[in-house]
Amino acid sequence: MFTQSVYAFIAVAKYQNYTRAAESLYITQPALSNMINRLERDLDMQLLIRTRHSVELTPAGKYMFEVYETMLAEYEEHYNHAVQLARGFEGEIKIGLPTGYPTRIYQSTLQMFHAQYPHVNVSVYHMKISELQAAVHAHFLDCAVLLDHGICAPVEYATMDLFTSKASLVFSTKYIQKSPDSVSMADFYNADFYVLKDSEMSGGKKALEDLLAPKILNPEKVHYVNEPETMLLLASSGLGFCLLDDLFISTAAVEEIHTYPCNLTHTFVAVYKKDASNIAVKRFTDLLKEALQSVFPKNQ
């Protein structure tokens, strides 16, 4: 817990004025001066230079002001979290996830979250990235998982990087009966089709073009599909390739498909509200990040 002297120093450093700092703390100026003197004695350093008309921070004072502000913000966050745990936070939070988001990851997150917040109901919505963006701007969702490109969140929302996903070309063992390391450019170029996760997978077409160069990608062979499960079914048909983030590649299909890494990555970002429900929402976001990084530690 912070001492009165620390709060006094933060106030003076913030206002650069003893009178305004004392008024903000509802104490007298002499009392404020005594607190500052006590803190400087305890730290054995000068924090402030007081002149007739102003107050300046010493280099050490500037550094300690930044340290105390950071510590105070962290303390308040942890304190509020503890209060909510002690009182038993109740209510509902709405989470938006991209279509095809792996069930096993968000279900494990839900289990851990409910253990800490048993009285909070979590409603999960699966949407396209564009729909998630619209739901955030409509303030319908408390938290949404979006791709890094094109994020434009309202001021009422904060952001947190969750996970960087690498893309891979997925193809059937029926189509190419050899290891991915033995796949040639001719194998890629002669495919009947290429499937991308619709236009939201920014850079997907460019990654295919780079992979096939100097051959020219036939645009008639490129198809866009939103559902990762449908993409995997098409790839397992043995006629072509799909370009899909590792996050969406089903482990259940590992025996039937090969994956070939591409020079394409996406960062999934959590966008969440900064309101009264922030404690529970922020905790859900933290748990989601832990779950992702435990499944794909090599990607981080």
Side-chain angles (χ1 to χ4, degrees):
M1 188 172 180
F2 288 82
T3 64
Q4 288 183 317
S5 296
V6 171
Y7 284 111
F9 169 66
I10 291 174
V12 173
K14 187 178 296 184
Y15 290 107
Q16 300 279 293
N17 183 284
Y18 267 68
T19 301
R20 293 177 62 191
E23 290 174 351
S24 71
L25 297 173
Y26 301 99
I27 59 176
T28 64
Q29 286 192 49
L32 179 68
S33 297
N34 289 335
M35 291 178 186
I36 297 298
N37 292 336
R38 186 182 309 120
L39 181 62
E40 289 182 325
R41 286 197 304 271
D42 292 342
L43 296 177
D44 192 23
M45 65 179 70
Q46 185 178 6
L47 302 173
L48 301 168
I49 300 174
R50 185 175 182 180
T51 65
R52 179 175 297 181
H53 301 291
S54 65
V55 178
E56 295 180 3
L57 291 167
T58 65
K62 290 179 181 178
Y63 177 77
M64 291 306 299
F65 175 53
E66 293 175 0
V67 169
Y68 283 138
E69 284 229 299
T70 301
M71 291 174 61
L72 182 58
E74 291 178 352
Y75 169 78
E76 289 178 347
E77 179 180 343
H78 292 306
Y79 175 76
N80 290 334
H81 186 191
V83 168
Q84 296 293 357
L85 289 175
R87 295 176 181 174
F89 186 89
E90 297 181 356
E92 178 188 21
I93 58 176
K94 297 177 181 179
I95 308 296
L97 300 176
T99 303
Y101 196 95
T103 303
R104 68 187 186 281
I105 293 177
Y106 81 78
Q107 285 187 341
S108 66
T109 303
L110 283 173
Q111 291 173 356
M112 291 186 288
F113 179 81
H114 283 310
Q116 296 183 22
Y117 297 92
H119 303 295
V120 177
N121 180 49
V122 180
S123 298
V124 180
Y125 299 84
H126 293 272
M127 307 178 187
K128 292 183 179 180
I129 296 292
S130 57
E131 294 172 340
L132 289 171
Q133 281 273 25
V136 165
H137 281 274
H139 296 87
F140 173 74
L141 295 172
D142 296 298
C143 177
V145 176
L146 303 172
L147 291 178
D148 52 354
H149 65 276
I151 287 182
C152 181
V155 294
E156 298 87 356
Y157 285 76
T159 61
M160 174 195 293
D161 287 356
L162 292 177
F163 169 77
T164 298
S165 182
K166 299 177 181 178
S168 297
L169 269 180
V170 181
F171 54 96
S172 172
T173 53
K174 302 172 189 175
Y175 177 57
I176 301 179
Q177 297 180 350
K178 53 187 176 181
S179 71
D181 295 336
S182 304
V183 176
S184 66
M185 290 302 102
D187 293 320
F188 287 136
Y189 187 71
N190 292 327
D192 289 347
F193 61 79
Y194 309 94
V195 182
L196 304 181
K197 192 178 182 296
D198 65 39
S199 58
E200 292 174 357
M201 187 166 181
S202 176
K205 188 175 180 182
K206 177 66 166 56
L208 271 179
E209 291 172 343
D210 291 344
L211 190 64
L212 296 177
K215 298 282 189 178
I216 304 300
L217 177 65
N218 183 349
E220 295 182 359
K221 290 186 176 183
V222 180
H223 304 279
Y224 295 95
V225 176
N226 186 57
E227 297 287 345
E229 293 85 356
T230 304
M231 295 177 69
L232 288 166
L233 284 173
L234 288 169
S236 64
S237 69
L239 299 174
F241 300 88
C242 71
L243 184 60
L244 193 59
D245 278 300
D246 291 345
L247 181 61
F248 297 110
I249 296 175
S250 171
T251 54
V254 167
E255 295 181 358
E256 302 175 6
I257 63 173
H258 284 316
T259 58
Y260 187 91
C262 296
N263 186 26
L264 179 65
T265 61
H266 291 118
T267 298
F268 287 82
V269 180
V271 181
Y272 57 93
K273 281 184 180 177
K274 298 184 289 187
D275 61 7
S277 65
N278 172 257
I279 296 170
V281 174
K282 175 66 163 53
R283 183 54 183 155
F284 184 91
T285 306
D286 290 337
L287 291 173
L288 192 59
K289 183 174 183 176
E290 292 172 13
L292 283 164
Q293 294 187 351
S294 66
V295 174
F296 302 100
K298 66 181 183 299
N299 285 25
Q300 304 311 302

